[in-house]
Amino acid sequence: MSTRMRDGYETLNVRVAGNLGWAELNRPLVLNAMNLQCIRELQAAIEAFDADPEIRVVAIVGAGERAFTAGADITEIHDYGQLEMEHYNRHWLSLFETIEGIRKPVIAAAHGWATGGGTEMSLACDFVLCTEAARFGLAEINIGVIPGAGAAVRLTRWVGRLKAKEILMLGRTLTGPEAVSVGLANRCVATRDDLLAEVRALADELASKAPLALAAAKASVNIAAEADQRTGIEHELNEFLRLFATEDQKEGMRAFLEKRAPVYTGR
């Protein structure tokens, strides 16, 4: 499988391997903490992946052996006041909305520190894979603040009110296996090499599905997590009906009847 690097990024390593777009946070000396440039570059990379028809799946990973990302680069914001922080945090909000809003599956691959903004970002992704060495948590309470980019909302919808309050108000870290047990991660593997292989395997499995149906499933679940039941059901029905105007729907059902593997084109 050929790998193509993409230039133009200073804080990321961006590459495409087959149908998988990799965005690797590349600030290992500071645990891949994300400054404003990194936030903007990651959003731009994800938008570029979304616009590339050859890419079916996106993965976010951290460079090195120590961290996925430790979140915000505190050296950049420690002297900010309210107005500066609002401007800064709206970049985080925009990044997370982009991750949730693109129609392709996004995988967070967490090894090492994935606390603060790392956990917040994983909550915006569609799949979270991690290693036993991963450390999740929202420990902002320990430096006198709370998360400010939607983590309290997303976390509550993921794990429920009691567990969300425990994570937010005690500021403790969770291991990879603990993250799986409370619903913060899909699965946990032993090493970083295992993690990258697991991402590739999951991406291959996702890429074998009809891209438009994957997009419809993602959107339907995201709406269901936020809307009332009637609105969620109507959205799901509309997504379902739109798929019956696609070539992939015809191919999928024809392949089923002919007892062969379907060949999806995303049309």
Side-chain angles (χ1 to χ4, degrees), residues 3-266:
T3 298
R4 307 184 306 280
M5 299 298 297
R6 293 195 170 177
D7 298 326
Y9 301 93
E10 295 181 10
T11 66
L12 308 177
N13 294 322
V14 177
R15 64 188 186 276
V16 178
N19 48 35
L20 174 59
W22 290 91
E24 183 180 62
L25 306 171
N26 189 31
R27 304 187 76 218
L29 296 180
V30 290
L31 299 178
N32 296 319
M34 297 173 65
N35 58 13
L36 187 55
Q37 180 182 4
C38 186
I39 296 168
R40 288 170 169 164
E41 288 189 350
L42 180 57
Q43 182 168 352
I46 291 170
E47 290 170 345
F49 287 152
D50 193 36
D52 188 334
E54 294 185 9
I55 294 173
R56 298 285 184 88
V57 183
V58 175
I60 304 171
V61 64
E65 290 290 337
R66 298 174 63 204
F68 171 53
T69 172
D73 188 342
I74 302 299
T75 63
E76 187 176 59
I77 64 174
H78 70 284
D79 284 333
Y80 279 6
Q82 289 179 331
L83 291 178
E84 294 96 338
M85 278 308 304
E86 179 181 1
H87 175 76
Y88 171 80
N89 257 42
R90 290 200 180 278
H91 288 281
W92 282 102
L93 291 172
S94 181
L95 169 61
F96 296 158
E97 288 170 1
T98 295
I99 292 170
E100 288 180 326
I102 70 167
R103 302 278 285 179
K104 297 176 181 179
V106 181
I107 304 169
H111 172 69
W113 292 102
T115 48
T119 295
E120 288 202 78
M121 185 156 60
S122 73
L123 289 167
C125 294
D126 305 301
F127 294 87
V128 181
L129 308 180
C130 66
T131 66
E132 294 170 0
R135 294 295 180 268
F136 295 88
L138 295 163
E140 286 86 345
I141 198 79
N142 295 330
I143 56 172
V145 294
I146 64 171
V153 176
R154 291 185 178 94
L155 182 68
T156 301
R157 289 172 175 165
W158 275 45
V159 305
R161 184 180 302 184
L162 288 177
K163 184 58 69 173
K165 287 180 178 178
E166 178 183 328
I167 292 170
L168 286 165
M169 297 171 75
L170 295 179
R172 296 173 180 167
T173 59
L174 291 83
T175 66
E178 287 171 336
V180 173
S181 72
V182 301
L184 281 177
N186 296 91
R187 65 193 72 148
C188 181
V189 296
T191 69
R192 188 176 188 274
D193 286 344
D194 294 335
L195 178 64
L196 299 181
E198 191 75 7
V199 170
R200 181 70 259 180
L202 176 58
D204 285 343
E205 185 173 359
L206 287 167
S208 72
K209 312 299 183 185
L212 298 177
L214 280 179
K218 172 174 177 170
S220 295
V221 172
N222 285 346
I223 290 293
E226 301 173 9
D228 62 86
Q229 180 168 307
R230 179 177 293 275
T231 300
I233 289 172
E234 284 297 319
H235 179 89
E236 180 183 328
L237 174 60
N238 289 333
E239 292 279 5
F240 171 77
L241 294 175
R242 277 197 291 269
L243 292 172
F244 275 79
T246 68
E247 296 176 15
D248 279 354
Q249 175 266 325
K250 302 297 186 292
E251 166 64 11
M253 293 191 176
R254 187 183 305 113
F256 175 81
L257 293 174
E258 295 173 359
K259 296 181 172 53
R260 60 174 175 82
V263 179
Y264 294 119
T265 61

